[in-house]
Amino acid sequence: GILLWVSDEIAEAEATLQSAVKLAPTLAEPLVQLALFTAEENGEMDEAKDLTLRALALEPRHARALSLLQRLVEAEERLAAGQVDRPHSGEGPSCEPEDDSCAGW
């Protein structure tokens, strides 16, 4: 899914990431990857947060999930404070998916 995303094949990337979640329902990483995609590409912060929380329910110490949740909460707080903060979109991921600082928002 991530390789498709990087290649700008957005619809296929999303379908592949969703499929990975269904194929490996007990693994946190596919949920984290889908959450990152959902936040960055679709701008659906609430859904991304829900996916991240599902990942943390499976693996409470998952570093990337914890980092992503923190960034999602911070973005939510900035939006609530009236600061416009839009997710990255349209160009694939804003950085390497394995990078813990990965976020375009």
Side-chain angles (χ1 to χ4, degrees), residues 9-29:
E9 297 180 42
I10 305 307
E12 294 88 351
E14 185 170 21
T16 301
L17 290 168
Q18 289 173 343
S19 180
V21 168
K22 289 178 185 173
L23 289 171
T26 61
L27 296 179
E29 187 61 28

Side-chain angles (χ1 to χ4, degrees), residues 35-88:
L36 179 60
F37 177 92
T38 300
E40 287 217 12
E41 199 62 46
N42 298 337
E44 297 174 10
M45 306 300 258
D46 289 338
E47 183 168 344
K49 189 175 176 183
D50 290 344
L51 290 165
T52 304
L53 290 171
R54 284 176 52 198
L56 288 168
L58 293 171
E59 211 175 310
R61 294 184 180 184
H62 192 284
R64 291 191 41 192
L66 290 167
S67 177
L68 180 56
L69 181 61
Q70 178 181 355
R71 291 192 313 267
L72 289 166
V73 168
E74 289 170 355
E76 189 176 74
E77 289 171 352
R78 286 190 301 271
L79 285 170
Q83 298 173 352
V84 178
D85 194 10
R86 301 283 179 224
H88 170 82

